[in-house]
Amino acid sequence: MRAAVLHEIGQEKLEVLDDVEAVGFGPGKVRVRVRATGLCHSDLSAMSGVLPQPAPFVPGHEGAGEILEVGEGVRHLKAGDRVVICWLPACGTCPACRRGQTELCLAGFMNAGTPNFQRSGGDVFGFAGTGTFAEEVVVDAGCAVPIPDDVPYDIAALIGCGVTTGLGAALNTADVEAGSSVAVIGCGGVGISAVQGARLKGAAEIVAVDPVASRRESALRFGATKAISPDELADAKQQVTGGEGFDYVFEVVGRSATARTAYENTRRGGTLVVVGAGAMDDFLQLNMFELFFDEKRILPSMYGGGDVLRSYERTIALWRAGRVDLAGLITHRVQLAEINEALDQMRTGTALRTCIEI
């Protein structure tokens, strides 16, 4: 089958190959035909080495498709079922799962070290234990979550990561208070989903911060009350909050510099939500006095900070009710020339579709 492969960490281009085989099928596994996949910024971070990932690997962890085959012992799925790929499945038995913090389950990460694919030249890994930039993928049955028939594959793919992460950061992690002021730094697909989450919670002011003009314009359509470039943030802080700082600031970039900016623009007693996935050697510096004196809450948000399956269900319900715009997210993108070229090749004559690049 065809798949897009990154041979070495740090390479800028993916190579589309037609000799890749999805491997590992057996008891407890399912084979999925990928019908739609998204490019999440985490894929780019893995390609550049910001996030740890063995190579060669097939990027992609935000996908949806249909079950082709189920392994022995799989009872809740059958061939033909429509599913969304969950890159962080809950095992249900670990301490985190028993506490109800299924987003902290490490079972899914254990799969990241096992090759999902194979070529004549050797093993090929799937990013985050999945690898949806391929026509087919074999994953644990828990990674394949059934979706209703009325949810299009491209919409389902969005729910698989970016939308769940961004909405959950606002709804679960921050639990934004109605009437509050919010700033979202970084307005790709995840950031725009955080904007929509803040709007759903009734935030009075939602300031979208991004250096890309098209993203700022798009943010206004998704519910931001103001959209600014980073160098305008100080003025916006003064205009919107009287210089005090925002009640909630979401950092959706994954860099210590923007996290520090987010901290400085959060009011005393306010909440900084760290959504972006950053590098292990990129350290955020805070002094002990400001940490004590400002009493700002710093809340990391992993995959939306809540039960993933419940989050999927909630997002579908909100989408059906017209409360969140997921179709609009499909066109909210930054062009990534080299990756787009590879994905365009894959679309020709295959079932694979690219639904979002963020």
Side-chain angles (χ1 to χ4, degrees):
M1 67 173 184
R2 286 185 175 186
V5 177
L6 187 82
H7 295 286
E8 295 181 3
I9 300 300
Q11 285 184 330
E12 295 183 356
K13 288 189 176 182
L14 297 172
E15 184 178 5
V16 178
L17 304 170
D18 59 7
D19 64 345
V20 181
E21 179 185 2
V23 298
F25 183 75
K29 302 281 189 173
V30 295
R31 185 185 301 275
V32 181
R33 183 186 300 278
V34 179
R35 293 295 190 182
T37 187
L39 174 62
C40 184
H41 199 276
S42 297
D43 297 303
L44 301 179
S45 295
M47 291 169 62
S48 67
V50 170
L51 297 180
Q53 170 64 44
F57 76 95
V58 175
H61 61 287
E62 188 179 73
E66 62 180 309
I67 299 291
L68 294 178
E69 190 177 5
V70 300
E72 182 182 349
V74 177
R75 301 283 183 255
H76 69 293
L77 294 167
K78 65 183 184 304
D81 283 352
R82 299 159 55 89
V83 296
V84 60
I85 299 296
C86 175
W87 61 271
L88 192 61
C91 71
T93 59
C94 71
C97 285
R98 291 199 303 270
R99 286 192 297 265
Q101 295 177 298
T102 57
E103 77 279 8
L104 299 181
C105 179
L106 293 175
F109 285 108
M110 300 301 104
N111 297 326
T114 302
N116 293 53
F117 306 96
Q118 194 172 58
R119 300 180 62 216
S120 58
D123 293 331
V124 178
F125 296 89
F127 178 52
T130 58
T132 56
F133 283 13
E135 291 182 284
E136 295 180 12
V137 63
V138 172
V139 293
D140 284 342
C143 294
V145 180
I147 55 173
D149 290 342
D150 67 325
V151 182
Y153 286 120
D154 49 5
I155 295 295
L158 297 176
I159 295 172
C161 186
V163 170
T164 295
T165 299
L167 279 181
L171 303 182
N172 301 326
T173 306
D175 191 16
V176 171
E177 184 177 352
S180 60
S181 61
V182 170
V184 178
I185 302 178
C187 295
V190 176
I192 287 297
S193 295
V195 167
Q196 294 201 71
R199 176 180 54 81
L200 281 169
K201 294 289 286 184
E205 299 283 349
I206 305 172
V207 178
V209 186
D210 199 282
V212 180
S214 60
R215 287 186 176 189
R216 297 196 298 270
E217 294 170 5
S218 185
L220 293 171
R221 296 195 298 271
F222 285 99
T225 57
K226 182 185 291 288
I228 60 172
S229 62
D231 58 8
E232 297 174 301
L233 182 54
D235 288 342
K237 174 183 174 182
Q238 183 64 42
Q239 294 170 8
V240 175
T241 73
E244 182 184 20
F246 296 88
D247 296 316
Y248 303 89
V249 181
F250 294 84
E251 195 279 345
V252 201
V253 179
R255 295 178 182 168
S256 61
T258 48
R260 180 68 213 190
T261 297
Y263 182 88
E264 292 169 355
N265 284 277
T266 304
R267 68 166 173 82
R268 293 185 67 213
T271 300
L272 163 61
V273 183
V274 180
V275 187
M280 290 188 288
D281 59 354
D282 187 11
F283 296 96
L284 172 63
Q285 291 191 339
L286 301 167
N287 68 61
M288 291 303 294
F289 178 76
E290 66 183 343
L291 193 61
F292 159 77
F293 187 71
D294 290 339
E295 203 178 277
K296 299 179 184 180
R297 295 190 303 160
I298 302 175
L299 302 178
S301 185
M302 177 72 170
Y303 207 178
D307 180 84
V308 175
L309 300 186
R310 175 68 190 101
S311 294
Y312 288 177
E313 294 171 355
R314 178 179 60 191
T315 300
I316 291 172
L318 290 168
W319 167 74
R320 282 173 170 162
R323 302 290 302 282
V324 295
D325 180 4
L326 301 187
L329 276 172
I330 296 173
T331 57
H332 177 74
R333 64 183 67 190
V334 171
Q335 295 301 320
L336 301 165
E338 295 87 1
I339 294 176
N340 281 347
E341 181 181 352
L343 295 175
D344 284 341
Q345 293 177 40
M346 290 188 68
R347 281 198 291 266
T348 305
T350 74
L352 189 66
R353 223 178 127 199
T354 309
C355 67
I356 183 170
E357 291 125 20
I358 62 177

